[in-house]
Amino acid sequence: MSVDGPEAGVDMRKVEDHVSEFKRVLVANRGEIAVRVIRACRDLGIDPVAVYSAGEERALHVRLADDAYLIESDGRLPYLNAAAIVDVAKRSGCEAIHPGYGFLAENGDFAEACTSAGIVFVGPSASSIRAMGDKVVARQVAATAGVPLVPGSEGAVSSIDEALKWAKEHGYPIAVKASAGGGGRGFRVAKAENELESAFTGSAGEADRYFGNAEVYLERYLHNPRHIEVQLLADSSGNTIWLGERDCSIQRRHQKLIEECPSPAVDADMRVALGEAAVRLARAVDYLGAGTVEFMLTDDSRFYFLEMNTRIQVEHTITEQVTGIDLVKEQLRIASGVPLSVQQEDIRISGHSIQCRINAEDPGSDFAPTPGTLKAFGPPLGPRTRVDTGMETGSTILPAYDSMIAKVVTWGRDRSEAIATMSRALQEFRIEGVASTVAFHRNVMKHPAFVAGSATTSFLQMYPEVLPAERHSSESAQADSAPVRDVLVEVNGRRLTVRLHDDLEFRGRSQNGPADRKAPRSRSRSIGQNAPSSNEIVSPLQGTILRVDVHAGDQVHAGDLICVVEAMKMENEITAHRDGTVESLDVQSGSQVTVGSRIATLQ
């Protein structure tokens, strides 16, 4: 595989003879990935069928499908109701189910249930999913396949005492990881012995909630690495190919924010070594479909196996942009028994692509989730710009689901052009009604470390200046902000838009760009920050209490952990805003809270 200019890519004349055998496919997901799969089905002449939860009857993915079925909740999220989804597929005459990404996409039991019902699961076999889904087994397979590994425990670690013993032998920092984990779930880092118990219990608890398996294992935590992953495709005719690498180093809470392809840190020789290692691993488990092998790359140019994701990735878009290959259509072709439309020698990398994940989060408040309704949604357009989304003006970002609003993807003939195009696209993006990560991404695009291609997984810790001011990260009116209105004025022949708040604070913006006054800092509270004189600790977000770490009568100091709130698939720590004694607690594990709900009272 080589990196070529813009004329490179796949000879699309070869693709025309490779079409899917399916006539009707159920898309068992929601949001932007459901829209993405539905469009791929349309391109292949397949009739797409959608599922939805209560309140999502008018969602974009529902309207784009040929047919749609309500999935009732049985105490879990409707999209995780495997039995109901299989039943809908049978009733609607679907030959296959595409799970998108998420829990069902990497659930061996679900894949097996589809097969038992006579329905094709668009993905690998249940045995491949289980082998790679269990991170302990995956490490063993990787070792057998000759893929380099980070030093780690031989198997699952069953107790904190066992973890402490291993750590004493191998040293800190240590990563505690869920055996069944993925996507940053069930991942904690202990930098010293006094942090290991918290990391161990936190990882095991999150793993149990998300994956139904509390087993964890240990690895040495690599200092300041890059996160590199290799895209794979494998068909039932024995063809397994790799399609270049992606750099996913800029993350928060071990979850990706920005991805690019190819990586600025990978040269031609390393690219081949990474690709061949990924193929060896895939062949060791008889892999079928689209998958991604993830690695950690150290500053001395050594790479180590991290995990394999047995599904399409959120960031598959950038590989599509530089190869010209529609990975979702290839998934559908492979699942229907059709060989890959390309071979390894056909793969060429053309230019550079970057993806920014636009989430309903407030980067200025530790990326706290901000569910709500999009009062305005204006995604960017223009050359070399792609936006994948399931949202529109009026759509609601629900607290029960992921915080993603959209993915902005740009392409350039080289990395500099891709960055410039992304900067322009982010400047055009209009989101109102919730905080978002748009301004954060704008800051990253112009940061010298990112521009130089030197970002690692420690980027946010090293360069906190990229985080915008609290609650103005979206350049939008927040649900709890003061009412605003825009007034068009002219001063000395220059047109300005003046934003008026009810307290007469304002910001001015010229018609073609820069702000004339700095936006006032919002009064919204960040996680754990209440008014200093207040006796109450209130929730700054809507979600579910996972655990409470104090009792009535406990003495606490400013910054001490009070409780953990899960919102939009993220755990958020609520801390004390001052010293005091816990007079009363208003929540317990499992309690539902909304913005402003009282959690505790201090004396």
Side-chain angles (χ1 to χ4, degrees), residues 149-164:
L149 289 170
V150 177
S153 59
E154 291 298 320
V157 176
S158 59
S159 68
I160 183 59
D161 289 338
E162 187 180 346
L164 288 166

Side-chain angles (χ1 to χ4, degrees), residues 352-365:
H352 200 93
S353 186
I354 298 173
Q355 173 176 285
C356 290
R357 302 190 188 197
I358 309 303
N359 298 329
E361 299 170 13
D362 181 9
S365 184

Side-chain angles (χ1 to χ4, degrees), residues 344-419:
Q344 190 68 63
E345 59 269 20
D346 299 319
I347 306 302
R348 299 288 186 274
I349 297 295
S350 171
H352 200 93
S353 186
I354 298 173
Q355 173 176 285
C356 290
R357 302 190 188 197
I358 309 303
N359 298 329
E361 299 170 13
D362 181 9
S365 184
D366 195 27
F367 292 90
T370 58
T373 299
L374 296 177
K375 298 178 181 177
F377 181 70
L381 303 172
R384 304 183 304 277
T385 304
R386 165 180 172 178
V387 178
D388 281 21
T389 185
M391 298 293 162
E392 306 167 293
T393 296
S395 294
T396 299
I397 311 296
L398 298 170
Y401 298 111
D402 189 89
S403 62
M404 184 176 289
I405 299 172
K407 304 183 304 191
V408 180
V409 185
T410 60
W411 179 89
R413 290 168 294 180
D414 56 27
R415 188 169 184 266
S416 294
E417 188 173 62
I419 292 173

Side-chain angles (χ1 to χ4, degrees), residues 405-469:
I405 299 172
K407 304 183 304 191
V408 180
V409 185
T410 60
W411 179 89
R413 290 168 294 180
D414 56 27
R415 188 169 184 266
S416 294
E417 188 173 62
I419 292 173
T421 303
M422 180 62 76
S423 296
R424 185 266 302 161
L426 292 169
Q427 191 64 39
E428 292 178 5
F429 211 143
R430 183 187 179 209
I431 297 174
E432 294 184 6
V434 299
S436 83
T437 54
V438 169
F440 159 78
H441 288 298
R442 289 180 192 154
N443 292 345
V444 173
M445 289 301 116
K446 61 187 178 185
H447 194 278
F450 178 77
V451 173
S454 60
T456 69
T457 55
S458 301
F459 183 82
L460 290 186
Q461 289 73 40
M462 295 172 67
Y463 306 110
E465 63 268 23
V466 299
L467 299 174

Side-chain angles (χ1 to χ4, degrees), residues 283-303:
R283 287 177 173 161
V285 292
D286 297 321
Y287 197 78
L288 181 73
T292 301
V293 181
E294 303 196 349
F295 300 92
M296 291 283 105
L297 176 64
T298 59
D299 56 8
D300 59 356
S301 298
R302 296 184 181 183
F303 63 85

Side-chain angles (χ1 to χ4, degrees), residues 200-232:
F200 183 88
T201 56
S203 179
E206 187 175 30
D208 187 44
R209 290 190 297 275
Y210 280 98
F211 309 110
N213 181 349
E215 284 191 349
V216 299
Y217 67 102
L218 307 179
E219 282 183 353
R220 283 300 307 274
Y221 184 69
L222 298 179
H223 175 68
N224 209 27
R226 288 178 183 262
H227 187 130
I228 307 293
E229 61 188 29
V230 176
Q231 178 67 57
L232 294 171

Side-chain angles (χ1 to χ4, degrees), residues 345-585:
E345 59 269 20
D346 299 319
I347 306 302
R348 299 288 186 274
I349 297 295
S350 171
H352 200 93
S353 186
I354 298 173
Q355 173 176 285
C356 290
R357 302 190 188 197
I358 309 303
N359 298 329
E361 299 170 13
D362 181 9
S365 184
D366 195 27
F367 292 90
T370 58
T373 299
L374 296 177
K375 298 178 181 177
F377 181 70
L381 303 172
R384 304 183 304 277
T385 304
R386 165 180 172 178
V387 178
D388 281 21
T389 185
M391 298 293 162
E392 306 167 293
T393 296
S395 294
T396 299
I397 311 296
L398 298 170
Y401 298 111
D402 189 89
S403 62
M404 184 176 289
I405 299 172
K407 304 183 304 191
V408 180
V409 185
T410 60
W411 179 89
R413 290 168 294 180
D414 56 27
R415 188 169 184 266
S416 294
E417 188 173 62
I419 292 173
T421 303
M422 180 62 76
S423 296
R424 185 266 302 161
L426 292 169
Q427 191 64 39
E428 292 178 5
F429 211 143
R430 183 187 179 209
I431 297 174
E432 294 184 6
V434 299
S436 83
T437 54
V438 169
F440 159 78
H441 288 298
R442 289 180 192 154
N443 292 345
V444 173
M445 289 301 116
K446 61 187 178 185
H447 194 278
F450 178 77
V451 173
S454 60
T456 69
T457 55
S458 301
F459 183 82
L460 290 186
Q461 289 73 40
M462 295 172 67
Y463 306 110
E465 63 268 23
V466 299
L467 299 174
E470 174 191 346
R471 286 287 191 175
H472 269 286
S473 50
S474 66
E475 299 276 354
S476 69
Q478 306 303 317
D480 56 348
S481 293
V484 298
R485 57 191 176 94
D486 290 345
V487 178
L488 184 65
V489 299
E490 184 176 302
V491 180
N492 295 329
R494 185 186 187 191
R495 299 184 71 193
L496 300 173
T497 300
V498 178
R499 177 156 292 179
L500 299 179
H501 295 246
D502 66 351
D503 58 0
L504 300 183
E505 291 180 320
F506 72 96
R507 57 179 174 171
R509 177 175 297 279
S510 66
Q511 285 297 91
N512 50 4
D516 295 302
R517 293 191 180 226
K518 187 174 181 180
R521 188 175 178 89
S522 168
R523 300 180 182 81
S524 304
R525 304 182 183 110
S526 63
I527 301 295
Q529 290 182 329
N530 291 259
S533 60
S534 173
N535 291 330
E536 294 185 347
I537 298 175
V538 300
S539 177
L541 69 166
Q542 180 176 338
T544 302
I545 301 291
L546 291 183
R547 70 175 190 270
V548 180
D549 279 39
V550 296
H551 301 86
D554 285 355
Q555 295 285 328
V556 296
H557 299 284
D560 284 354
L561 180 64
I562 301 299
C563 67
V564 177
V565 179
E566 181 186 50
M568 303 173 85
K569 298 186 177 180
M570 289 192 293
E571 295 187 6
N572 304 272
E573 295 184 347
I574 308 298
T575 58
H577 60 291
R578 64 171 178 83
D579 296 351
T581 302
V582 179
E583 181 177 28
S584 64
L585 283 168

Side-chain angles (χ1 to χ4, degrees), residues 135-137 139-140 151-157 162 166 170 217-218:
K135 307 311 178 189
V136 173
V137 174
R139 282 176 56 88
Q140 296 168 350
S153 59
E154 291 298 320
V157 176
E162 187 180 346
W166 190 92
H170 293 84
Y217 67 102
L218 307 179

